Amino acid sequence: MLLNRRRLIMHAREQNKPNIKIVATGGTIASRGSNSLSLTDYGAGLGLQPIGIQALIDAVPEIEAFANISGEQIFNVGSSKLSIENLLALSKRCNELLSSEAVDGMVITHGTDTLEETAYFLNLVVKSDKPVVLVASMRPATGLSADGPLNLVNAVALAASVESKGKGVLVCMNDQICSAFGVSKAHTTNVSAFQCPDTGFLGYMQNSKPFFTSAPLKRHTYQSEFDISNLDTLPRVEVNYTTLGSDGLIIDAVVAFGAKGIINAGVGHSNMPDATLKSLEQAREKGVIVVIGSRTGAGIVTPMGKYDQFDFVSAMMHNPQKSRILLMLALTKASDTKAIQRIFSEY
């Protein structure tokens, strides 16, 4: 078996292949469990050291069938531990690497918890039409039936494909190709956790070959107006999760602590209790940008007359976590709600 794998790789080395950079940030794909059946309890919290980028590459020699591979470790943490400053650092490094003629595409290994936020952030700030593919796993590298190795092979094959060029940042998991705009984590532990509830998948990987069925239409990457090259931080934006009977005390608190924007994850089609609405109205009167969205996980929240008097922005098809990412970047470009609504409509 190993001999056959090596023959495949040696044959591929004789071909003209693209140069793919794998940038590692950590996550489950680089985590160890205490045993092969430890599929949900693993990682640094148990004192188990994460796997470095070179060991990750060496464990899956099949990736060399698709590209000349080089790796770089930028972080090695679970994605729940990442910060906005980490996203800025990652994005700047991606732009540096992609500007080089020696790099034809990029794969970023990542944790699943906040993968959709990182993917969408990169989709807004990467200044290249070269393929950028985020990949992760739901099971640790030491787990029985670990999904990381095949996910990594597919991600490299996707990044190496000329068909991926110009399609923005992609996510490749469980043989499915997702756009950064459409993807969302929809399950806590299942290997099919990543779904695209509103947009559908862009395509599928079969035998490590991409088959695209659609392309993203929203503005992204090289089409984007956002520039983070000189930014070290972003405006503070918080999410308020609306529930039955909730009041506005949390909204009042985040305004007092200096939030420049609030995403309200409303019930149903952005509805909310009167007390929540009152606090959001007061926040807007103080200059805070208020975006009304939904906690449902799918669906579009278009501008509605009932909120016109409050000068709120509608989240459109962005879930609360992606609305937060977009509003932080929008606030670096605009402060009036009409301009910000235009951004939410175009991206």
Side-chain angles (χ1 to χ4, degrees), residues 171 176-186 192-203 297-298 317 322:
V171 173
Q176 296 154 337
I177 305 170
C178 308
S179 71
F181 171 76
V183 71
S184 184
K185 187 175 182 180
S192 62
F194 284 84
Q195 301 294 320
C196 300
D198 287 316
T199 64
F201 299 116
L202 293 184
M317 208 176 289
K322 287 184 184 172

mmCIF file of all heavy atoms in Angstrom, residues 171 176-186 192-203 297-298 317 322:
data_model
loop_
_atom_site.group_PDB
_atom_site.id
_atom_site.type_symbol
_atom_site.label_atom_id
_atom_site.label_comp_id
_atom_site.label_asym_id
_atom_site.label_seq_id
_atom_site.Cartn_x
_atom_site.Cartn_y
_atom_site.Cartn_z
ATOM 1 N N VAL A 171 -14.582 26.643 0.941
ATOM 2 C CA VAL A 171 -14.448 25.712 2.059
ATOM 3 C C VAL A 171 -14.680 24.313 1.500
ATOM 4 O O VAL A 171 -15.667 24.082 0.781
ATOM 5 C CB VAL A 171 -15.458 26.015 3.180
ATOM 6 C CG1 VAL A 171 -15.417 24.916 4.253
ATOM 7 C CG2 VAL A 171 -15.173 27.380 3.801
ATOM 8 N N GLN A 176 -17.657 18.163 -0.201
ATOM 9 C CA GLN A 176 -18.529 19.242 -0.653
ATOM 10 C C GLN A 176 -17.744 20.549 -0.767
ATOM 11 O O GLN A 176 -16.880 20.843 0.050
ATOM 12 C CB GLN A 176 -19.703 19.406 0.325
ATOM 13 C CG GLN A 176 -20.602 18.177 0.366
ATOM 14 C CD GLN A 176 -21.356 18.005 1.667
ATOM 15 O OE1 GLN A 176 -20.944 18.517 2.715
ATOM 16 N NE2 GLN A 176 -22.450 17.267 1.621
ATOM 17 N N ILE A 177 -18.063 21.327 -1.795
ATOM 18 C CA ILE A 177 -17.419 22.621 -2.017
ATOM 19 C C ILE A 177 -18.408 23.714 -1.647
ATOM 20 O O ILE A 177 -19.520 23.773 -2.181
ATOM 21 C CB ILE A 177 -16.994 22.786 -3.492
ATOM 22 C CG1 ILE A 177 -16.108 21.623 -3.934
ATOM 23 C CG2 ILE A 177 -16.271 24.114 -3.682
ATOM 24 C CD1 ILE A 177 -15.858 21.587 -5.443
ATOM 25 N N CYS A 178 -18.003 24.578 -0.723
ATOM 26 C CA CYS A 178 -18.871 25.645 -0.229
ATOM 27 C C CYS A 178 -18.257 27.008 -0.518
ATOM 28 O O CYS A 178 -17.032 27.159 -0.509
ATOM 29 C CB CYS A 178 -19.074 25.529 1.282
ATOM 30 S SG CYS A 178 -19.602 23.908 1.868
ATOM 31 N N SER A 179 -19.101 28.001 -0.729
ATOM 32 C CA SER A 179 -18.616 29.376 -0.798
ATOM 33 C C SER A 179 -18.498 29.920 0.617
ATOM 34 O O SER A 179 -19.233 29.507 1.523
ATOM 35 C CB SER A 179 -19.584 30.251 -1.603
ATOM 36 O OG SER A 179 -20.787 30.470 -0.886
ATOM 37 N N ALA A 180 -17.586 30.865 0.803
ATOM 38 C CA ALA A 180 -17.443 31.496 2.121
ATOM 39 C C ALA A 180 -18.718 32.237 2.504
ATOM 40 O O ALA A 180 -19.085 32.305 3.675
ATOM 41 C CB ALA A 180 -16.251 32.447 2.123
ATOM 42 N N PHE A 181 -19.419 32.796 1.511
ATOM 43 C CA PHE A 181 -20.663 33.511 1.777
ATOM 44 C C PHE A 181 -21.759 32.569 2.261
ATOM 45 O O PHE A 181 -22.525 32.896 3.164
ATOM 46 C CB PHE A 181 -21.126 34.234 0.501
ATOM 47 C CG PHE A 181 -22.505 34.824 0.600
ATOM 48 C CD1 PHE A 181 -22.723 35.985 1.313
ATOM 49 C CD2 PHE A 181 -23.585 34.213 -0.028
ATOM 50 C CE1 PHE A 181 -23.994 36.538 1.407
ATOM 51 C CE2 PHE A 181 -24.856 34.749 0.059
ATOM 52 C CZ PHE A 181 -25.064 35.919 0.778
ATOM 53 N N GLY A 182 -21.840 31.372 1.679
ATOM 54 C CA GLY A 182 -22.970 30.498 1.956
ATOM 55 C C GLY A 182 -22.790 29.507 3.086
ATOM 56 O O GLY A 182 -23.763 29.018 3.647
ATOM 57 N N VAL A 183 -21.538 29.221 3.469
ATOM 58 C CA VAL A 183 -21.284 28.098 4.368
ATOM 59 C C VAL A 183 -21.592 28.438 5.821
ATOM 60 O O VAL A 183 -21.438 29.575 6.269
ATOM 61 C CB VAL A 183 -19.820 27.630 4.241
ATOM 62 C CG1 VAL A 183 -18.852 28.644 4.853
ATOM 63 C CG2 VAL A 183 -19.634 26.246 4.857
ATOM 64 N N SER A 184 -22.049 27.431 6.561
ATOM 65 C CA SER A 184 -22.307 27.580 7.985
ATOM 66 C C SER A 184 -22.177 26.226 8.667
ATOM 67 O O SER A 184 -22.552 25.200 8.102
ATOM 68 C CB SER A 184 -23.712 28.143 8.221
ATOM 69 O OG SER A 184 -23.944 28.385 9.594
ATOM 70 N N LYS A 185 -21.639 26.245 9.881
ATOM 71 C CA LYS A 185 -21.569 25.008 10.668
ATOM 72 C C LYS A 185 -22.935 24.744 11.280
ATOM 73 O O LYS A 185 -23.451 25.556 12.040
ATOM 74 C CB LYS A 185 -20.498 25.108 11.761
ATOM 75 C CG LYS A 185 -20.283 23.785 12.496
ATOM 76 C CD LYS A 185 -19.131 23.862 13.492
ATOM 77 C CE LYS A 185 -18.930 22.505 14.170
ATOM 78 N NZ LYS A 185 -17.812 22.522 15.142
ATOM 79 N N ALA A 186 -23.521 23.593 10.949
ATOM 80 C CA ALA A 186 -24.905 23.313 11.313
ATOM 81 C C ALA A 186 -25.061 22.120 12.240
ATOM 82 O O ALA A 186 -26.187 21.707 12.523
ATOM 83 C CB ALA A 186 -25.730 23.091 10.049
ATOM 84 N N SER A 192 -20.672 15.784 8.492
ATOM 85 C CA SER A 192 -21.388 16.595 7.504
ATOM 86 C C SER A 192 -21.894 17.897 8.123
ATOM 87 O O SER A 192 -22.928 18.432 7.729
ATOM 88 C CB SER A 192 -22.567 15.817 6.904
ATOM 89 O OG SER A 192 -23.506 15.482 7.909
ATOM 90 N N ALA A 193 -21.150 18.406 9.080
ATOM 91 C CA ALA A 193 -21.589 19.568 9.849
ATOM 92 C C ALA A 193 -21.747 20.828 9.008
ATOM 93 O O ALA A 193 -22.555 21.690 9.325
ATOM 94 C CB ALA A 193 -20.608 19.837 10.994
ATOM 95 N N PHE A 194 -20.961 20.945 7.923
ATOM 96 C CA PHE A 194 -20.989 22.195 7.166
ATOM 97 C C PHE A 194 -22.004 22.125 6.031
ATOM 98 O O PHE A 194 -21.968 21.231 5.188
ATOM 99 C CB PHE A 194 -19.589 22.525 6.649
ATOM 100 C CG PHE A 194 -18.717 23.061 7.755
ATOM 101 C CD1 PHE A 194 -18.049 22.200 8.608
ATOM 102 C CD2 PHE A 194 -18.619 24.425 7.975
ATOM 103 C CE1 PHE A 194 -17.282 22.687 9.655
ATOM 104 C CE2 PHE A 194 -17.848 24.921 9.019
ATOM 105 C CZ PHE A 194 -17.185 24.051 9.865
ATOM 106 N N GLN A 195 -22.897 23.100 6.055
ATOM 107 C CA GLN A 195 -23.987 23.167 5.078
ATOM 108 C C GLN A 195 -24.063 24.575 4.491
ATOM 109 O O GLN A 195 -23.463 25.515 5.019
ATOM 110 C CB GLN A 195 -25.315 22.813 5.746
ATOM 111 C CG GLN A 195 -25.360 21.428 6.374
ATOM 112 C CD GLN A 195 -25.260 20.308 5.358
ATOM 113 O OE1 GLN A 195 -25.847 20.396 4.277
ATOM 114 N NE2 GLN A 195 -24.539 19.246 5.697
ATOM 115 N N CYS A 196 -24.807 24.703 3.401
ATOM 116 C CA CYS A 196 -25.053 26.010 2.775
ATOM 117 C C CYS A 196 -26.563 26.158 2.653
ATOM 118 O O CYS A 196 -27.138 25.920 1.581
ATOM 119 C CB CYS A 196 -24.386 26.088 1.414
ATOM 120 S SG CYS A 196 -22.594 25.877 1.451
ATOM 121 N N PRO A 197 -27.242 26.530 3.741
ATOM 122 C CA PRO A 197 -28.703 26.448 3.774
ATOM 123 C C PRO A 197 -29.418 27.330 2.766
ATOM 124 O O PRO A 197 -30.506 26.970 2.304
ATOM 125 C CB PRO A 197 -29.041 26.864 5.213
ATOM 126 C CG PRO A 197 -27.848 27.626 5.689
ATOM 127 C CD PRO A 197 -26.686 26.990 5.027
ATOM 128 N N ASP A 198 -28.860 28.476 2.428
ATOM 129 C CA ASP A 198 -29.537 29.387 1.502
ATOM 130 C C ASP A 198 -29.027 29.285 0.070
ATOM 131 O O ASP A 198 -29.791 29.478 -0.876
ATOM 132 C CB ASP A 198 -29.382 30.833 1.981
ATOM 133 C CG ASP A 198 -30.238 31.127 3.197
ATOM 134 O OD1 ASP A 198 -31.408 30.714 3.208
ATOM 135 O OD2 ASP A 198 -29.740 31.761 4.145
ATOM 136 N N THR A 199 -27.758 29.003 -0.097
ATOM 137 C CA THR A 199 -27.158 29.046 -1.432
ATOM 138 C C THR A 199 -26.952 27.684 -2.066
ATOM 139 O O THR A 199 -26.809 27.576 -3.283
ATOM 140 C CB THR A 199 -25.794 29.742 -1.375
ATOM 141 O OG1 THR A 199 -24.903 28.957 -0.551
ATOM 142 C CG2 THR A 199 -25.915 31.137 -0.782
ATOM 143 N N GLY A 200 -26.908 26.623 -1.253
ATOM 144 C CA GLY A 200 -26.525 25.310 -1.758
ATOM 145 C C GLY A 200 -25.027 25.237 -1.976
ATOM 146 O O GLY A 200 -24.316 26.260 -1.961
ATOM 147 N N PHE A 201 -24.520 24.041 -2.168
ATOM 148 C CA PHE A 201 -23.087 23.852 -2.410
ATOM 149 C C PHE A 201 -22.712 24.373 -3.795
ATOM 150 O O PHE A 201 -23.532 24.380 -4.719
ATOM 151 C CB PHE A 201 -22.723 22.372 -2.294
ATOM 152 C CG PHE A 201 -22.999 21.777 -0.947
ATOM 153 C CD1 PHE A 201 -23.941 20.760 -0.803
ATOM 154 C CD2 PHE A 201 -22.340 22.230 0.180
ATOM 155 C CE1 PHE A 201 -24.211 20.209 0.437
ATOM 156 C CE2 PHE A 201 -22.601 21.685 1.429
ATOM 157 C CZ PHE A 201 -23.536 20.681 1.560
ATOM 158 N N LEU A 202 -21.461 24.792 -3.926
ATOM 159 C CA LEU A 202 -20.952 25.194 -5.234
ATOM 160 C C LEU A 202 -20.643 23.984 -6.105
ATOM 161 O O LEU A 202 -20.553 24.094 -7.326
ATOM 162 C CB LEU A 202 -19.683 26.035 -5.088
ATOM 163 C CG LEU A 202 -19.821 27.411 -4.453
ATOM 164 C CD1 LEU A 202 -18.474 28.128 -4.484
ATOM 165 C CD2 LEU A 202 -20.881 28.246 -5.153
ATOM 166 N N GLY A 203 -20.440 22.851 -5.461
ATOM 167 C CA GLY A 203 -20.115 21.639 -6.197
ATOM 168 C C GLY A 203 -19.647 20.549 -5.259
ATOM 169 O O GLY A 203 -19.812 20.650 -4.036
ATOM 170 N N GLY A 297 -31.050 30.779 11.314
ATOM 171 C CA GLY A 297 -30.004 30.043 10.619
ATOM 172 C C GLY A 297 -30.167 29.978 9.120
ATOM 173 O O GLY A 297 -29.284 29.491 8.413
ATOM 174 N N ALA A 298 -31.292 30.469 8.611
ATOM 175 C CA ALA A 298 -31.514 30.484 7.161
ATOM 176 C C ALA A 298 -32.579 31.526 6.844
ATOM 177 O O ALA A 298 -33.384 31.899 7.698
ATOM 178 C CB ALA A 298 -31.946 29.112 6.661
ATOM 179 N N MET A 317 -28.962 38.238 3.746
ATOM 180 C CA MET A 317 -28.833 36.788 3.876
ATOM 181 C C MET A 317 -27.667 36.387 4.786
ATOM 182 O O MET A 317 -27.233 35.236 4.774
ATOM 183 C CB MET A 317 -28.661 36.154 2.492
ATOM 184 C CG MET A 317 -29.179 34.718 2.392
ATOM 185 S SD MET A 317 -29.057 34.051 0.702
ATOM 186 C CE MET A 317 -30.327 35.018 -0.104
ATOM 187 N N LYS A 322 -21.724 36.180 10.654
ATOM 188 C CA LYS A 322 -21.168 36.804 9.454
ATOM 189 C C LYS A 322 -21.567 38.276 9.354
ATOM 190 O O LYS A 322 -20.812 39.102 8.837
ATOM 191 C CB LYS A 322 -21.600 36.040 8.207
ATOM 192 C CG LYS A 322 -20.896 34.703 8.060
ATOM 193 C CD LYS A 322 -21.273 34.015 6.778
ATOM 194 C CE LYS A 322 -20.626 32.637 6.716
ATOM 195 N NZ LYS A 322 -21.118 31.854 5.563
#
